[in-house]
Amino acid sequence: MSEITPEQQLARMWEHIRGFHVVHHVSIGTKLALFDELKGAPGGLTAAQLAAVLDLHEPYIDNWCKTGYAYEILDAGAGGTYCLAPHMDQILASRGNPRYLAPYFMGATDHFGPDLDLYPEFFRTGQTYTFQEHGEAFSKAIADITSGLHVVVARHLLPAIPGLKDRLEAGVSVLDMGCGAGGLLIQIAQTYPKAACTGVDVDVHGISIARDNISHTGLEDRIAVEHLDGDAIAHENEFDVVILFEVLHEVPVSVRASILANCHRAMKNDGVLFILDETYPSTPEDLRNPEYAFAVQTGFNELIWGNVVPTREEQDTLLRDAGFAGVERSVIGDIFTMITARKA
C-alpha cells in the first residue's frame, strides 16, 4: 500500500468542505423554488429570467446558477441559459419520488446543523436533546425527508416479502410502531384499499401532524393513530404486519427489548415483522466500509438525540429474545438494512 501524502489528505478535506457548501446551495435553491422553476422550463432559463419570474435579486441568482453549474447540479445551454442536470428533476424537484432528496438538504441546514452546534457543550455535559423535544417543525421535516421511502416500502418492499402480496391486497391489519406524521400509513392505505392501519408514537407533534394528514386524505375510516406515554401498547394478537420504519435505532436502548416484545405480542400468529433501519458496523475495519457509511453518519448526527444505531448482533439478539424466528435481512440501496421475521 502506497504512503498517503499530505496533498491527498488536503484534497480529501477540501472535498468535505465543498460538500458543506453544496448542501447549502441546494437548500437555498429548494427554499426559493429555483429547482421547481427550472424543472418547469426544460429548455432552460437565464439567470435574469429566473430572477424575474420569482422576483429575486438577479446578481445573486446569476452567482447561484454559475455555482450550480460548477457543482454539476445545473447544466448550461445556449444564450446563457441554465437547466437541471440529468436526473436532478427527480432528486431535487419531484415531491413524492423515491429519489427526492431536497428535504434532506433543508433538514441538514435547518435542523441537523443547529443540532451540531450544540455538540461541543453537550460533549462536556452528556446532555441530550431528544427527537420529541425538537418540536413540530422538526417532526414535519423528518416526515418530509422520509416520504420518498414510504412509497418504496408500500409499493415494492412489503409486497416482495414471500406470501405477503396477496394478503395485502385481500386486506390486512397493519401496525406502524413509531408512525411519526403518518406518511407510511397513508401510503399503505392508498396502495391497498382493503388494509386497516394503526400507528403509534411517543412524539405528540408527529401524532398531531398525522391526524391532520389522515384527515386531508379522507382515510379516517381505515387509519387510526395513538399517542403513547411510555413503551406499552394496548394491542395483542391483532396485526398481520408490524412495521418499524427507521425507528429501531431511535428507541432508547433501555426499552428496546420491551418494544420488540410488544411487537411480538401485537402480532397474529402468522404475522410478519418488517424493519427498515441502519446497521452499525461491528468491527473497526467496517467503519470505513461504504456499506456502513450512512449508519456511521446517522450514529453521529443523531448522537445527542440519545439514538444508538444497533449492530447486526444487537439486532439479532433483540429479535431472538422477543420470540421472533425466520429472520431474513438484505441491504436496500446500499444504505438501509431490511429485516423480516415471523412470530415464533
Side-chain angles (χ1 to χ4, degrees):
M1 181 176 179
S2 60
E3 182 180 354
I4 297 174
T5 68
E7 288 72 22
Q8 288 173 320
Q9 295 290 51
L10 278 170
R12 179 177 289 120
M13 299 311 293
W14 274 117
E15 191 62 26
H16 292 322
I17 292 171
R18 184 175 187 263
F20 168 88
H21 291 288
V22 170
V23 167
H24 282 271
H25 181 276
V26 172
S27 179
I28 291 164
T30 302
K31 292 173 181 177
L32 295 177
L34 295 167
F35 296 120
D36 292 334
E37 202 63 39
L38 288 168
K39 180 186 176 183
L45 294 170
T46 65
Q49 291 170 329
L50 193 54
V53 73
L54 293 172
D55 193 24
L56 298 170
H57 184 57
E58 182 183 338
Y60 285 5
I61 297 302
D62 180 66
N63 186 281
W64 182 88
C65 289
K66 290 174 179 174
T67 305
Y69 177 73
Y71 289 157
E72 301 183 45
I73 296 168
L74 305 182
D75 277 346
T81 59
Y82 294 93
C83 62
L84 295 176
H87 311 299
M88 288 298 173
D89 58 332
Q90 299 176 51
I91 297 169
L92 300 177
S94 295
R95 292 163 184 80
N97 190 298
R99 295 185 174 92
Y100 184 56
L101 282 182
Y104 199 101
F105 287 90
M106 290 192 295
T109 58
D110 297 355
H111 299 287
F112 305 149
D115 274 6
L116 291 167
D117 287 341
L118 301 173
Y119 275 44
E121 179 61 25
F122 281 28
F123 270 50
R124 296 184 181 96
T125 65
Q127 288 174 259
T128 59
Y129 182 33
T130 66
F131 188 111
Q132 295 84 2
E133 291 174 320
H134 278 70
E136 184 175 352
F138 177 81
S139 296
K140 185 178 186 305
I142 297 299
D144 290 342
I145 286 169
T146 56
S147 61
L149 267 178
H150 296 156
V151 177
V152 175
V153 170
R155 301 182 186 178
H156 302 288
L157 299 184
L158 287 177
I161 297 172
L164 192 55
K165 184 175 185 292
D166 290 343
R167 294 174 66 182
L168 287 165
E169 292 174 347
V172 293
S173 54
V174 177
L175 173 65
D176 186 1
M177 291 282 287
C179 65
L184 181 56
L185 293 168
I186 291 170
Q187 279 294 332
I188 292 172
Q190 290 176 333
T191 305
Y192 306 101
K194 296 181 180 179
C197 303
T198 300
V200 298
D201 206 300
V202 297
D203 178 26
V204 65
H205 305 292
I207 291 294
S208 176
I209 298 168
R211 288 179 175 143
D212 287 343
N213 291 339
I214 293 163
S215 176
H216 290 154
T217 60
L219 292 169
E220 301 100 316
D221 60 329
R222 291 196 293 120
I223 305 177
V225 292
E226 304 167 4
H227 177 242
L228 295 183
D229 183 14
D231 59 324
I233 58 173
H235 298 280
E236 187 170 353
N237 300 319
E238 292 183 35
F239 298 100
D240 301 283
V241 182
V242 175
I243 296 172
L244 288 164
F245 172 84
E246 281 293 287
V247 165
L248 183 58
H249 77 274
E250 296 186 346
V251 175
V253 173
S254 60
V255 297
R256 282 181 185 171
S258 61
I259 292 295
L260 266 295
N262 285 338
C263 290
H264 189 273
R265 189 179 305 113
M267 288 172 60
K268 296 178 180 178
N269 288 333
D270 59 348
V272 175
L273 177 70
F274 173 91
I275 297 174
L276 193 74
D277 212 281
E278 288 86 69
T279 300
Y280 205 79
S282 302
T283 67
E285 293 77 17
D286 276 337
L287 287 166
R288 292 184 176 180
N289 183 336
E291 181 179 326
Y292 295 99
F294 190 72
V296 173
Q297 176 180 306
T298 298
F300 186 75
N301 287 348
E302 301 182 9
L303 184 61
I304 66 168
W305 302 2
N307 294 353
V308 179
V309 181
T311 64
R312 174 172 182 159
E313 293 78 11
E314 290 166 341
Q315 292 167 347
D316 288 343
T317 297
L318 286 166
L319 292 168
R320 182 186 65 246
D321 291 351
F324 289 101
V327 176
E328 297 184 5
R329 62 173 61 230
S330 56
V331 177
I332 304 298
D334 296 324
I335 293 177
F336 303 102
T337 301
M338 185 180 92
I339 301 172
T340 60
R342 309 279 173 163
K343 187 169 183 176

